[in-house]
Amino acid sequence: MASASAASAAAAAAAEWEEAERKVLVARKPAFGLPTACPACLPVLLYLRMAQVPFDIHVDTSFPDADHIPYVEFGDCVAFNNEKGGVIEYLKEGKIVDLNSKNPSSSNPDMLSTKAMISTWLSDALQYELWVVSDGSIAHDIYFSDLPWPIGKILHWKKTRDVKQLLGITKLNAAEKDEEIYQKASAAYDALSLRLGDQAFLFDNSPTDVDALLLGHALFVLNVLPETSVLKGTLQKHDNLVNFAEHLKAQFAASSSGLGASPDPSSSSTPRKRASSGRSYKPKPRAKKERTEEEKTFRRRAKYFLATQLVAVLVFLSLMGGVDGSELDDDDGIDYED
């Protein structure tokens, strides 16, 4: 019964995709020469472009630490990053956009293991460098630059603690974990370089979701991380992986690409209606007078968001009364300019 219901929902979503006049990818803002500087958003954008799907990009700065971004809107449906395995898996499982369907290696165990390696070892290494090793300036530019300085700093510190907990890093095992993370990343790059060889793509010279994941990772590492990055230096040892990224960047990651319009600057100040558990909405044209009311609503929401963040900070600091400001800075090395 449940499987029949799921199949029916998938069929309805596929039909909605075909009928939708516009597909919209909601992502974080562009930076560092990339159409979006968010490491979670970039593979989704690349996947849609590899599938030759025309879509618009809207930038969301209202929820800097939200895990439902990126998401794709089409008709009355929304595919969120934190539901059903993420946007790419949702589109694949529902037979909506499946790059792998025509690839003869789609059922190859090597494809599954390669995907798992990118999604775990390389993803962990990237999170480690972005949130733990770096001075925080890159993460600030991507996620928190539109927030007031104190809120951005506290949210960054909280995210750093979350990543450390996720990776199992403590003060006692920090050096050991550092070595382990980079060893796994190096092994992953070795295996991917061997798998790619001199091909244009990883499997049978046609793009798959694994190519989108690898390309998103490689472009972020090469274009965003500093020259002092251990991860970047390790990737650059593999010429074919670097060439893979540089060649496909011009094809799929250029801001002027015909598939996926450049981000609309006004979208960063336009609230987008959220949906949950597969429920969604259908954007409709509004009269000019209604847009003014929408802007008022957004201002109220923005004030509410900032107020709740401030309350959360105050509650957090009251609970962590034993942690003074100098310990905060020394622990994670966060240093932003006003």
Side-chain angles (χ1 to χ4, degrees):
M1 193 71 180
S3 60
S5 176
S8 176
E16 191 74 30
W17 179 273
E18 293 298 327
E19 296 174 3
E21 294 182 2
R22 299 173 65 237
K23 286 88 172 177
V24 179
L25 170 63
V26 180
R28 293 189 170 93
K29 61 188 177 184
F32 305 101
L34 299 174
T36 173
C38 168
C41 303
L42 191 54
V44 177
L45 180 146
L46 295 169
Y47 182 82
L48 292 174
R49 286 185 173 175
M50 287 178 176
Q52 299 185 339
V53 174
F55 63 96
D56 297 326
I57 304 173
H58 285 271
V59 174
D60 188 309
T61 58
S62 302
F63 304 95
D65 56 344
D67 59 1
H68 68 276
I69 299 172
Y71 59 94
V72 173
E73 303 171 342
F74 54 100
D76 288 329
C77 297
V78 182
F80 288 108
N81 180 58
N82 60 345
E83 295 181 1
K84 301 179 180 179
V87 177
I88 294 177
E89 287 302 312
Y90 176 87
L91 296 177
K92 281 176 52 189
E93 293 300 319
K95 307 299 181 184
I96 299 171
V97 180
D98 187 1
L99 269 178
N100 301 7
S101 61
K102 297 180 180 180
N103 191 297
S105 298
S106 59
S107 59
N108 188 333
D110 283 351
M111 181 177 287
L112 297 178
S113 62
T114 302
K115 181 177 179 180
M117 190 165 51
I118 298 170
S119 301
T120 54
W121 291 358
L122 292 185
S123 177
D124 288 351
L126 182 54
Q127 293 296 307
Y128 178 66
E129 287 226 346
L130 186 59
W131 297 104
V132 181
V133 176
S134 74
D135 63 1
S137 59
I138 293 175
H140 175 264
D141 289 343
I142 297 171
Y143 298 96
F144 308 124
S145 60
D146 295 301
L147 294 179
W149 174 81
I151 296 178
K153 184 168 184 177
I154 292 295
L155 289 177
H156 183 283
W157 182 78
K158 178 180 179 297
K159 178 66 176 180
T160 298
R161 287 178 63 91
D162 291 343
V163 171
K164 285 183 177 180
Q165 289 179 354
L166 180 66
L167 299 178
I169 299 172
T170 66
K171 290 184 178 180
L172 295 177
N173 69 2
E176 179 184 342
K177 281 290 184 179
D178 180 273
E179 183 179 358
E180 176 187 327
I181 288 169
Y182 284 127
Q183 281 182 348
K184 288 181 176 179
S186 179
Y189 286 143
D190 288 344
L192 288 165
S193 179
L194 184 62
R195 170 76 249 182
L196 180 64
D198 58 359
Q199 301 179 119
F201 298 101
L202 288 168
F203 295 92
D204 299 302
N205 279 317
S206 63
T208 66
D209 62 329
V210 186
D211 292 289
L213 293 175
L214 175 58
L215 181 58
H217 170 87
L219 288 177
F220 187 90
V221 170
L222 294 171
N223 291 275
V224 180
L225 296 185
E227 293 302 321
T228 54
S229 161
V230 175
L231 190 63
K232 184 173 184 175
T234 305
L235 174 58
Q236 288 175 328
K237 293 177 182 178
H238 301 278
D239 291 339
N240 62 338
L241 294 181
V242 174
N243 293 336
F244 166 85
E246 292 178 347
H247 173 71
L248 295 183
K249 178 184 180 182
Q251 188 174 354
F252 297 114
S255 297
S256 59
S257 173
L259 299 170
S262 299
D264 180 1
S266 64
S267 63
S268 61
S269 61
T270 303
R272 305 194 63 78
K273 190 172 180 179
R274 293 183 60 184
S276 60
S277 302
R279 299 182 65 86
S280 55
Y281 73 100
K282 190 168 186 178
K284 296 181 179 180
R286 295 176 180 267
K288 192 170 184 179
K289 189 174 183 180
E290 292 178 329
R291 286 199 187 105
T292 302
E293 185 61 33
E294 185 177 332
E295 291 173 356
K296 292 179 180 178
T297 301
F298 171 66
R299 290 192 184 98
R300 287 195 296 270
R301 289 180 179 177
K303 289 178 182 178
Y304 173 77
F305 171 74
L306 294 176
T308 54
Q309 293 294 336
L310 283 172
V311 170
V313 169
L314 293 174
V315 172
F316 175 81
L317 292 178
S318 67
L319 293 175
M320 299 291 289
V323 181
D324 60 77
S326 62
E327 185 176 345
L328 258 176
D329 287 335
D330 292 342
D331 186 40
D332 292 311
I334 303 172
D335 184 19
Y336 300 144
E337 296 180 358
D338 287 318

